[in-house]
Amino acid sequence: MEVYITVLLLSFAVTVLCALVLLPILKKLKIGQMVRDDGPQSHLAKQGTPTMGGIIMAAGAIILTVGCYFYFARNNLEVATKLFPFLFVTIGFGIVGFIDDYIKLVLKNSKGLKPSYKMIGLLIVAVAFTLYLTSVVKIGTDIYIPFWKTSITLPILIYIPFAVLVMLATTNAINLTDGIDGLSSSVTAIILTTLSIIGIGRNIEEVGIFGSIMVGACLAFLIFNLHPAKVFMGDTGSLLLGGIVAALALYLKMPLLLLIIAIVPIIETISDIIQVTYYKKTKKRIFKMAPIHHHFELCGWNENKIVSVFTFVTLVFCILGIVAV
């Protein structure tokens, strides 16, 4: 356990240093947040806040993964080597988000990356990681069922699209959760911690190590992302975090566990789907604004209260998730 804590603390420290270096650059380049006119009025003050901050977490993850590789390779080259596919997923999804952010914020095209191109980019990373799991690591196609504490084996032709769907759905859910200061980073840090603890408990060292790297990076970013945020993660960060959450869950053979521990991103997604579907049929809204965290904002909750409540809910369900396995 000591080694995982050390990795986490090193990741935290390195990512803080990355933030101190990269934040002034983002400010100088004037890569600032664009705020929706139809959103909560309190968000108008956030106009111009540096975004695309996911590169801060990406930088921390790259530095620590390379460092951990050289350190752990001396005793366990196999575990050290297995860190890089997780880094590939993290950076791969992050690059897709970065391109989207770049088009929106630097090229000043509010539409961002074309949805079809974005989907192709995410699919490439998701399919590549899924094939790595089935063809290289050969972890099998069995899926663990929480609470029942048993597994079911899926045919390979069903498992591959299922795994890809899990990755795409998770990235989208965490992307939707990123709407107010500190929400997505707080919630995701707890989810990553839960997956890391399970990995450590099952002696899957690569999950414990890379999970610790990402928890440290996420907590370091959170320092600068808490209300009032000095930087936003943008799609660069939210897709990056969603990708690694899904990757760790799949590697543990526990994608169904996300239905429990990722309850907040799931509710955010469902609220958005309900709002859009209902509005298309009736031209009326069920929520004052979607995703649901904006509904609570317009009901009078301040950002700190929303983050505190949603984080507490995540913590409770993550404890439940640990019990379930």
Side-chain angles (χ1 to χ4, degrees), residues 14-29:
V14 169
T15 306
V16 167
L17 291 175
C18 289
L20 295 175
V21 171
L22 293 172
L23 261 178
I25 297 174
L26 292 175
K27 289 180 181 178
K28 187 175 181 179
L29 295 175

Side-chain angles (χ1 to χ4, degrees), residues 130-183:
T130 301
L131 292 177
Y132 164 77
L133 291 180
T134 56
S135 302
V136 179
V137 182
K138 297 181 179 179
I139 64 170
T141 60
D142 46 315
I143 303 297
Y144 187 83
I145 303 178
F147 293 112
W148 277 266
K149 300 190 176 183
T150 186
S151 296
I152 57 171
T153 301
L154 299 178
I156 188 70
L157 293 179
I158 295 177
Y159 177 83
I160 291 176
F162 170 75
V164 170
L165 179 62
V166 168
M167 299 192 79
L168 297 180
T170 306
T171 53
N172 181 68
I174 291 181
N175 181 252
L176 287 172
T177 308
D178 180 35
I180 59 177
D181 298 357
L183 179 58

Side-chain angles (χ1 to χ4, degrees), residues 130-309:
T130 301
L131 292 177
Y132 164 77
L133 291 180
T134 56
S135 302
V136 179
V137 182
K138 297 181 179 179
I139 64 170
T141 60
D142 46 315
I143 303 297
Y144 187 83
I145 303 178
F147 293 112
W148 277 266
K149 300 190 176 183
T150 186
S151 296
I152 57 171
T153 301
L154 299 178
I156 188 70
L157 293 179
I158 295 177
Y159 177 83
I160 291 176
F162 170 75
V164 170
L165 179 62
V166 168
M167 299 192 79
L168 297 180
T170 306
T171 53
N172 181 68
I174 291 181
N175 181 252
L176 287 172
T177 308
D178 180 35
I180 59 177
D181 298 357
L183 179 58
S184 187
S185 42
S186 297
V187 167
T188 308
I190 296 174
I191 295 171
L192 286 170
T193 300
T194 302
L195 293 171
S196 302
I197 289 172
I198 293 171
I200 293 168
R202 296 190 169 222
N203 294 316
I204 307 175
E205 292 182 63
E206 54 269 33
V207 169
I209 294 167
F210 199 83
S212 298
I213 290 172
M214 291 310 302
V215 171
C218 204
L219 291 175
F221 180 80
L222 184 58
I223 291 178
F224 303 90
N225 187 230
L226 284 172
H227 184 73
K230 297 179 179 64
V231 63
F232 300 127
M233 66 173 66
D235 280 8
T236 309
S238 60
L239 295 184
L240 174 156
L241 291 176
I244 193 55
V245 165
L248 292 176
L250 286 168
Y251 199 90
L252 289 168
K253 303 183 181 183
M254 297 182 183
L256 296 182
L257 185 65
L258 294 178
L259 295 174
I260 302 171
I261 66 176
I263 187 66
V264 166
I266 288 172
I267 290 173
E268 296 274 21
T269 304
I270 292 173
S271 70
D272 199 58
I273 293 171
I274 290 173
Q275 184 86 324
V276 171
T277 303
Y278 189 75
Y279 184 80
K280 283 182 177 179
K281 291 184 176 181
T282 66
K283 299 302 178 184
K284 296 180 180 179
R285 293 178 173 86
I286 291 180
F287 305 106
K288 292 184 177 181
M289 187 176 176
I292 200 167
H293 58 258
H294 288 314
H295 171 79
F296 287 112
E297 267 192 290
L298 294 176
C299 286
W301 288 27
N302 62 46
E303 292 189 45
N304 286 333
K305 181 177 180 179
I306 296 169
V307 172
S308 298
V309 171

Side-chain angles (χ1 to χ4, degrees), residues 21-41:
V21 171
L22 293 172
L23 261 178
I25 297 174
L26 292 175
K27 289 180 181 178
K28 187 175 181 179
L29 295 175
K30 297 182 179 179
I31 302 176
Q33 176 77 0
M34 294 187 296
V35 178
R36 291 169 54 179
D37 294 332
D38 60 342
Q41 293 299 302

Side-chain angles (χ1 to χ4, degrees), residues 38 40 64 93 105 107 109 198 270 285:
D38 60 342
L64 257 295
F93 278 106
L105 304 169
L107 301 183
N109 183 340
I198 293 171
I270 292 173
R285 293 178 173 86

